[in-house]
Amino acid sequence: MILVFAEQRDGVLKKASKEAVSEGKRLSSKLSVPVAALLMGKGADQAVDEVKKFGPDKVFVMEGASLDQYSADGFAEATANVAKEQGATVILFPATTMGVDVSPRVAARVEAGLVSDITGLDVADGKLVAIKPVYSGKALATVKFKSDIQMVTLRSNVFPLEENSSAPEVTKVDAAGISPKGMVVSTELKEGGKVELGEAAIIVSGGRGLKGPENFPLIEEVARLLGGAVGASRAAVDAGWIEHSHQVGQTGKVVSPVVYIACGISGAIQHIAGMGSSKFIIAINKDEDAPIFNIASLGIVGDLFKIIPALTEELKKLA
Amino acid sequence: MNFLVFVKQVPDTETKIQIAGDGKSIVEDGVNFIVSPYDEIAIEEALLRKEALGGEITVATMGPNRGEAALRTALAMGCDKAVHLEDGAFEGADSFATAKALAAVVKKLNPDLVFFGKQGVGTDNTQVGQMVAEMAGFGHIGMCVKLEVDGDKIKGEREIEGGRETVEVSLPAVVVAQKGLNEPRYPALRGIMQAKRKPIEKLTVADLGLSADEVGAAGSRTEFASLELPPAREAGKKLEVEPEVAAKEIVAFLKNEAKAL
Ligand SMILES: Cc1cc2nc3c(=O)[nH]c(=O)nc-3n(C[C@H](O)[C@H](O)[C@H](O)COP(=O)(O)OP(=O)(O)OC[C@H]3O[C@@H](n4cnc5c(N)ncnc54)[C@H](O)[C@@H]3O)c2cc1C
Ligand SMILES: Nc1ncnc2c1ncn2[C@@H]1O[C@H](COP(=O)(O)O)[C@@H](O)[C@H]1O
């Protein structure tokens, strides 16, 4: 069986989880084994209808006091239990902050190989073959498994969503017996309503060229009009213009949106490490020799303080 | 309190990657090796905790002989002593086999608090800290950006999509350091001089009570079949036009090529 850890929070299924279930479904026909989605924690039950749309053969729902709050070791133990009971040979996770935190503990428990943040997945001789960017995207590794159980985390926005309605069997799994060592005691969600960087299809990013924090609203407006998220270079973050959670790059987030718009960003290798796998890159920079232009699908040479307001006007006309 | 910090030696982030003759590793000649940037944050956090609570910090790495330089850097920053897992049998380890060896170090040294970096840059796995926590039977705080030690437990914040969550774990525990936790110090000249006299203990597979088939390539659950350079990204149109024209071009691109509007 292919088991997909389908992260949900308070009944809302993550987009990355839908991508993971879609990929699980595709793998299930390649491997000729069924695919199951695992929903865990408070609200799991409410996410069942949504997860069904992506074609799982089975859905496991695990709720209980010990899983009400997120706990890496508790969630890992629960996942490993289901994987063992069901004889799972493949376990997929979305590469969300939860997936990244839980999957290594599951791998340690079930003694599986784990390849993280993959951008491609195939099957050869009945086993998985994963493509994983390494050296911050400067090389691509083809990774094979030696273990019986094979695990991967899938990079967001890479594996296409595919609706595939099914009428799966829904099974409740008892969470009794799980006693977490570490547990979330509170959660603070700051930017209610704003699109999250890791899941955004469009990212508008600002760098040192923005000159100061007072100019970030310029790109925030463009992001809002496009339904996208706001990113930043390290130079902008280090200057204190925007929080680190927005940083894209080697020591920030690795993103692969459909469109990445770099405004006043030179394109240092450590920045490209975080956005080089974007499908399309638009760069706005006044220096025609800026390295970002070497990877831009559309390069605009000019002053961002003139171009961005013009772009905002143009986008408003569409609204 | 006893602190243990794990550091990995990695190619400098500026390194130009060349694929070696075997088609699955990189050419190491001329590559400058550094302490993985996240591990510097892990070291700094251990130093701050020791300054507040007292105790001793051991820094450990698994890797070839050159790994000693990473340990000297950590000692120069202020760690007290070092452990170097150096044995041919450790070579070619994936995250699982690495974690197996490091978990044996945890068992041997019996620390209260263990620090890891979020990821060893290069292989970019983001796995080993969490795996060692599981193997050692410890709770952990992943992607930690704020930490408090409070008696026999720790409380820390971690970044999640759109916000932060606060996690509480009892000791002994693992902390996986994310950027934002602190600003790592630079080793001072005095520290560099002192580091030369601090002890580095070498440990082999046998010293850890492990067998050679549990570690290194033999103990790995995954293997690199090949390594390739990604297809070069072709630069597209580059325009230097009036702002209004540029704006129209961007919108047309978003509509027609990216199909994002
Ligand atoms: C270990 C390590 C890790 C790092 N990690 C990261 C990381 O995660 N993310 C990251 O981004 N960087 C990272 N860096 C830093 C990186 O090397 C660069 O310093 C940084 O990306 C530069 O940011 P920038 O492009 O905004 O600034 P700059 O390089 O200063 O570029 C600013 C650009 O703005 C343009 N500009 C100025 N005014 C205007 C205008 N009016 N209109 C249009 N264009 C204008 C300029 O032509 C210039 O190209 C890291 C570095 C190291 C050593
Ligand atoms: N060979 C190693 N020696 C010591 N620590 C390591 C080693 N490999 C990984 N680590 C630790 O585990 C963290 C995560 O590494 P990784 O999972 O490889 O990205 C690193 O930041 C280090 O703290």
Side-chain angles (χ1 to χ4, degrees):
Chain A
M1 166 182 286
I2 298 164
L3 186 65
V4 184
F5 179 95
E7 176 182 344
Q8 60 87 30
R9 282 185 193 256
D10 298 320
V12 181
L13 192 66
K14 289 271 158 125
K15 175 165 170 259
S17 305
K18 300 176 190 175
E19 293 169 2
V21 180
S22 301
E23 185 59 21
K25 181 75 183 172
R26 286 187 288 268
L27 267 187
S28 117
S29 37
K30 288 186 205 165
L31 289 168
S32 309
V33 292
V35 55
L38 173 61
L39 294 165
M40 189 171 292
K42 199 166 54 197
D45 205 32
Q46 288 141 259
V48 171
D49 283 342
E50 188 63 19
V51 88
K52 275 182 184 173
K53 291 184 190 156
F54 300 91
D57 300 301
K58 283 188 177 181
V59 179
F60 295 105
V61 179
M62 237 173 149
E63 285 181 356
S66 58
L67 300 176
D68 269 357
Q69 290 292 341
Y70 168 64
S71 137
D73 62 288
F75 275 39
E77 184 180 354
T79 306
N81 288 351
V82 174
K84 282 189 216 155
E85 272 157 32
Q86 300 300 323
T89 50
V90 172
I91 312 176
L92 306 182
F93 278 82
T96 52
T97 55
M98 189 188 283
V100 168
D101 207 35
V102 176
S103 55
R105 297 195 77 122
V106 177
R109 277 189 167 260
V110 304
E111 311 228 303
L114 169 63
V115 187
S116 23
D117 207 24
I118 64 162
T119 55
L121 195 55
D122 217 332
V123 174
D125 304 324
K127 299 273 277 187
L128 299 189
V129 180
I131 305 293
K132 170 180 168 52
V134 289
Y135 300 102
S136 4
K138 284 185 271 184
L140 291 175
T142 302
V143 192
K144 291 189 169 165
F145 290 84
K146 299 204 281 182
S147 53
D148 295 334
I149 303 181
Q150 312 168 80
M151 294 180 52
V152 292
T153 66
L154 309 176
R155 185 176 286 189
S156 296
N157 282 321
V158 174
F159 296 87
L161 285 180
E162 205 174 320
E163 294 212 6
N164 230 319
S165 268
S166 60
E169 179 194 334
V170 179
T171 312
K172 301 243 177 201
V173 186
D174 193 6
I178 291 177
S179 53
K181 297 184 183 73
M183 181 85 98
V184 165
V185 291
S186 64
T187 305
E188 186 194 343
L189 294 176
K190 273 168 298 187
E191 301 158 21
K194 284 200 189 161
V195 184
E196 206 282 319
L197 206 53
E199 294 200 332
I202 301 184
I203 294 175
V204 189
S205 253
R208 205 195 311 268
L210 273 178
K211 302 264 185 314
E214 66 282 4
N215 295 320
F216 261 87
L218 281 176
I219 64 166
E220 279 162 12
E221 175 76 349
V222 176
R224 195 184 60 75
L225 289 164
L226 290 169
V230 174
S233 73
R234 172 160 156 186
V237 171
D238 283 356
W241 301 347
I242 184 161
E243 267 187 55
H244 175 253
S245 59
H246 292 270
Q247 183 177 320
V248 171
Q250 180 123 40
T251 43
K253 292 210 168 66
V254 176
V255 296
S256 323
V258 179
V259 185
Y260 187 92
I261 309 183
C263 310
I265 293 178
S266 61
I269 192 142
Q270 296 92 350
H271 188 79
I272 291 175
M275 45 64 82
S277 67
S278 305
K279 203 153 175 202
F280 297 97
I281 296 168
I282 301 178
I284 305 173
N285 197 304
K286 68 176 182 190
D287 171 11
E288 64 170 321
D289 295 322
I292 191 83
F293 286 129
N294 297 334
I295 60 160
S297 344
L298 175 63
I300 304 287
V301 182
D303 183 356
L304 69 88
F305 292 105
K306 298 205 176 94
I307 293 159
I308 293 180
L311 175 60
T312 307
E313 283 316 304
E314 204 61 35
L315 289 171
K316 276 186 182 156
K317 284 187 208 159
L318 297 175
Chain B
M1 212 177 234
N2 272 323
F3 304 98
L4 175 58
V5 189
F6 284 106
V7 303
K8 185 178 182 188
Q9 196 186 37
V10 301
D12 192 325
T13 55
E14 298 277 357
T15 304
K16 187 164 175 347
I17 298 299
Q18 284 176 282
I19 313 291
D22 67 358
K24 39 180 138 173
S25 59
I26 61 162
V27 175
E28 290 198 357
D29 290 348
V31 170
N32 179 31
F33 284 90
I34 58 166
V35 173
S36 183
Y38 294 100
D39 298 350
E40 291 183 349
I41 302 172
I43 296 168
E44 177 66 31
E45 198 58 26
L47 294 171
L48 294 173
R49 297 302 140 195
K50 181 191 156 180
E51 283 160 16
L53 302 162
E56 194 177 53
I57 306 174
T58 307
V59 56
T61 194
M62 181 186 90
N65 195 263
R66 59 170 157 74
E68 213 175 293
L71 295 175
R72 291 283 172 213
T73 303
L75 292 171
M77 285 172 75
C79 294
D80 300 294
K81 53 185 191 159
V83 168
H84 190 176
L85 280 64
E86 191 190 355
D87 188 325
F90 291 128
E91 273 172 35
D94 72 349
S95 315
F96 189 92
T98 302
K100 202 72 198 197
L102 304 192
V105 177
V106 173
K107 198 171 154 209
K108 190 176 163 73
L109 299 184
N110 204 21
D112 303 293
L113 199 47
V114 187
F115 292 94
F116 288 87
K118 180 187 90 158
Q119 87 196 47
V121 308
T123 44
D124 300 337
N125 285 321
T126 321
Q127 297 180 12
V128 170
Q130 287 88 338
M131 278 186 182
V132 172
E134 185 66 42
M135 291 175 183
F138 292 6
H140 84 264
I141 302 179
M143 319 265 187
C144 186
V145 290
K146 194 172 166 196
L147 183 70
E148 265 172 56
V149 181
D150 179 7
D152 59 355
K153 60 175 197 287
I154 54 171
K155 198 171 169 178
E157 290 181 14
R158 57 182 240 107
E159 273 176 6
I160 58 169
E161 290 79 7
R164 284 182 176 200
E165 59 192 12
T166 305
V167 183
E168 230 173 61
V169 188
S170 48
L171 293 175
V174 162
V175 172
V176 181
Q178 161 72 314
K179 196 181 174 221
L181 183 60
N182 57 48
E183 273 305 322
R185 68 194 67 185
Y186 290 103
L189 189 59
R190 210 171 89 95
I192 295 169
M193 299 310 289
Q194 282 171 342
K196 292 188 178 143
R197 292 191 305 273
K198 290 180 180 172
I200 297 184
E201 186 187 0
K202 302 269 178 186
L203 291 179
T204 62
V205 173
D207 294 332
L208 290 172
L210 295 169
S211 68
D213 58 1
E214 290 178 279
V215 297
S220 292
R221 296 321 195 237
T222 60
E223 64 183 340
F224 275 25
S226 63
L227 195 62
E228 277 153 70
L229 297 180
R233 251 197 119 97
E234 298 279 319
K237 261 205 295 203
K238 191 156 106 184
L239 307 169
E240 193 164 357
V241 290
E242 286 306 308
E244 291 70 27
V245 181
K248 285 201 168 68
E249 287 280 347
I250 294 172
V251 170
F253 183 89
L254 288 171
K255 258 194 208 156
N256 305 330
E257 294 198 46
K259 310 215 180 320
L261 284 180

